[in-house]
């Protein structure tokens, strides 16, 4: 666990995901160091905080230039960057500001898809060669840009309501423990009778409904009457089994009442034990937060490598390539969060059981 964590901290870099990287693996918005094997890396991009990405499929023209799709408009400040030896152009660069037709989403320049339609009513996407419906693109972009803002706004606006709900829940928990200590027998026997009467009432009600529909000729088909009778039979069998179990287990119910009385005494003697689930919740939050940070660091790690060539149709660009240990770290991190979750829950059971045992045998 510590090895994977240390590797993720050393090799990973959160700014690669938060700020984005250009085609030379330089991180936007910071001063970069030269990367081994990447010729054009090491630029100072402190003033260029926005990642601009664009991929366009073009066709060679007679004059050895390029002809773009008829309904696609190329920005004037992008055209000088095009690699004239490739039929697919991928632009990934850091800019001081996004073009006028773009807006900023998580430090990325995302095009505002307005007025860019073809004859079929689809919008032309610069990052793909396929046609995508305008409303789908708009919904995806708006959801991505507004989600975190809405969550933060809701928390700020409703933190008082959330606090009151937590306090009310704590009060209800205390009230239930008091009721179980004072009226455990009454509460349990009332629940037993309610469950038994509900089971019998359900079966009787279904049979009465079946008899009523049977007298009304023509309102229901034979198939529907068969289904209704089958449901009545199944519910009746379950009800009879449940009532028999309650009758034969009535002595055990008395033991349950005694256990609830002892539990009420234990909580009364150790009231802080009610807060144990809160401690467990905080521990689970820390574990999940650590797992998420390590997972992000693992995904942001990798060795900078130039991928693709001009002869292959896509101009070469830098990618952070993950080795075998990084791929193994993904699964190991997933295993560790599963193990840590069960460990925290086990600690809760051990603490509660130990506290109750000490109280019971030393009172």
């Amino acid at each position: 666990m510590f090895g994977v964590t240390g590797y993720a901290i050393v090799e990973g870099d959160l700014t690669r995901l938060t700020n984005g990287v250009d085609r030379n693996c330089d991180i936007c918005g910071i001063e970069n160091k030269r990367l081994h094997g990447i010729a054009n890396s090491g630029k100072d991009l402190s003033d260029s905080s926005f990642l601009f990405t664009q991929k366009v499929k073009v066709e060679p023209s007679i004059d050895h230039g390029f002809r773009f799709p008829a309904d696609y408009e190329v920005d004037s400040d992008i055209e000088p960057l095009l690699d004239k030896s490739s039929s697919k152009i991928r632009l990934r660069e850091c800019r001081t500001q996004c073009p006028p037709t773009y807006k900023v989403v998580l430090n990325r320049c995302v095009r505002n898809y307005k007025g860019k339609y073809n004859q079929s009513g689809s919008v032309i996407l610069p990052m793909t060669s396929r046609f995508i419906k305008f409303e789908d693109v708009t919904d995806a972009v708006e959801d991505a840009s507004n989600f975190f803002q809405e969550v933060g706004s809701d928390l700020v606006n409703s933190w008082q309501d959330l606090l009151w709900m937590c306090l009310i829940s704590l009060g209800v928990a205390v009230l239930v423990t008091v009721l179980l200590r004072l009226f455990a027998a009454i509460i349990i026997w009332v629940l037993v009778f309610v469950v038994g009467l509900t089971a019998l009432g359900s079966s009787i009600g279904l049979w009465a409904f079946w008899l009523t529909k049977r007298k009304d000729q023509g309102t229901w088909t034979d198939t529907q009457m068969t289904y209704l009778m089958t449901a009545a039979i199944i519910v009746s069998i379950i009800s009879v089994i449940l009532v028999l179990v309650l009758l034969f287990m009535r002595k055990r119910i008395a033991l349950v009442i005694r256990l609830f009385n002892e539990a009420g005494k234990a909580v009364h003697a150790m009231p802080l034990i009610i807060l144990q689930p809160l401690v467990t919740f905080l521990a689970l939050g820390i574990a999940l937060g650590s797992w998420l940070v390590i997972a992000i660091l693992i995904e942001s790690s990798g060795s900078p490598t130039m991928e693709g060539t001009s002869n292959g149709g896509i101009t070469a660009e830098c990618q952070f390539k993950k080795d075998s240990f990084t791929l193994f770290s993904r699964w190991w991190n997933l295993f560790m969060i599963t193990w840590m979750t069960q460990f925290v829950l086990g600690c809760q059971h051990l603490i509660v059981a130990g506290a109750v045992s000490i109280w019971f045998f030393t009172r």
Side-chain angles (χ1 to χ4, degrees):
M1 179 178 67
F2 295 105
V4 171
T5 303
Y7 176 83
I9 294 175
V10 173
E11 296 293 332
D13 191 345
L14 292 178
T15 55
R16 295 175 184 173
L17 297 179
T18 58
N19 295 17
V21 296
D22 64 5
R23 61 185 300 147
N24 297 311
C25 285
D26 285 335
I27 302 174
C28 300
I30 66 173
E31 183 178 355
N32 296 271
K33 297 180 180 179
R34 184 177 179 84
L35 301 175
H36 178 71
I38 310 300
N40 297 324
S41 62
K43 297 186 295 294
D44 184 2
L45 300 176
S46 302
D47 297 331
S48 303
S49 303
F50 305 109
L51 178 64
F52 176 82
T53 304
Q54 188 174 32
K55 181 179 177 182
V56 182
K57 182 177 181 180
V58 295
E59 300 177 0
S61 61
I62 300 177
D63 57 355
H64 303 289
F66 283 87
R67 183 177 67 253
F68 288 83
D71 50 2
Y72 180 77
E73 179 182 353
V74 183
D75 296 332
S76 58
D77 54 344
I78 298 175
E79 191 170 3
L81 301 173
L82 300 181
D83 185 350
K84 300 303 181 180
S85 62
S86 173
S87 61
K88 290 183 180 179
I89 307 303
R90 180 183 299 174
L91 303 175
R92 200 175 75 213
E93 61 170 353
C94 301
R95 293 190 171 192
T96 56
Q97 60 182 7
C98 296
T101 57
Y102 288 72
K103 64 180 180 180
V104 179
V105 178
L106 300 177
N107 293 326
R108 271 73 171 172
C109 296
V110 179
R111 181 184 287 272
N112 282 320
Y113 298 101
K114 296 180 180 180
K116 303 284 288 183
Y117 301 98
N118 60 9
Q119 295 179 354
S120 62
S122 300
V123 63
I124 307 299
L125 287 183
M127 298 179 65
T128 179
S129 58
R130 298 185 302 172
F131 292 134
I132 300 179
K133 290 297 182 181
F134 171 74
E135 52 270 18
D136 296 337
V137 176
T138 303
D139 292 343
V141 174
E142 292 299 329
D143 291 343
S145 60
N146 295 332
F147 174 74
F148 293 103
Q149 182 178 358
E150 291 178 356
V151 170
S153 177
D154 290 341
L155 290 177
V156 171
N157 295 330
S158 60
W159 69 270
Q160 294 180 344
D161 296 334
L162 294 175
L163 180 60
W164 277 110
M165 292 174 64
C166 293
L167 294 176
I168 291 174
S169 299
L170 182 61
V172 170
V174 174
L175 178 62
V176 170
T177 57
V178 173
L179 292 176
L180 286 176
R181 185 186 180 189
L182 300 178
F183 310 105
I186 297 176
I187 294 175
I188 292 176
W189 281 116
V190 168
L191 289 176
V192 169
F193 282 113
V194 168
V195 171
L197 292 176
T198 302
L200 293 176
S202 300
S203 60
I204 293 174
L206 283 175
W207 282 114
F209 185 66
W210 179 78
L211 290 174
T212 301
K213 291 298 180 182
R214 186 181 181 184
K215 294 179 180 179
D216 297 337
Q217 298 293 334
T219 57
W220 279 32
T221 62
D222 294 339
T223 303
Q224 292 175 329
M225 293 298 298
T226 302
Y227 288 156
L228 182 58
M229 184 178 65
T230 303
I233 293 173
I234 294 175
V235 173
S236 299
I237 293 174
I238 296 175
S239 300
V240 171
I241 294 175
L242 183 60
V243 171
L244 291 176
V245 169
L246 292 177
L247 291 176
F248 284 105
M249 299 294 290
R250 61 185 182 277
K251 294 183 179 180
R252 297 289 183 179
I253 295 175
L255 178 60
V256 173
I257 294 174
R258 183 179 176 185
L259 290 176
F260 271 94
N261 287 325
E262 294 297 328
K265 295 178 181 178
V267 173
H268 181 75
M270 301 175 293
L272 292 180
I273 202 172
I274 299 177
L275 301 179
Q276 177 57 40
L278 178 60
V279 177
T280 302
F281 176 77
L282 294 176
L284 288 175
I286 294 173
L288 291 174
S290 302
W291 167 79
L292 181 61
V293 171
I294 295 173
I296 294 175
L297 287 173
I298 291 174
E299 294 304 319
S300 65
S301 63
S303 302
T305 307
M306 297 301 293
E307 297 286 343
T309 60
S310 297
N311 294 332
I314 300 179
T315 55
E317 61 178 0
C318 180
Q319 299 284 348
F320 287 97
K321 190 174 182 180
K322 294 176 175 54
D323 54 17
S324 300
F325 185 78
T326 305
L327 299 177
F328 165 77
S329 299
R330 291 175 174 174
W331 294 103
W332 183 257
N333 191 38
L334 182 62
F335 167 76
M336 287 308 303
I337 185 57
T338 305
W339 185 87
M340 285 298 298
T341 301
Q342 298 303 316
F343 176 77
V344 171
L345 295 176
C347 289
Q348 173 184 262
H349 300 332
L350 178 63
I351 292 172
V352 173
V356 173
S357 299
I358 294 173
W359 166 81
F360 184 80
F361 291 106
T362 58
R363 60 179 178 170

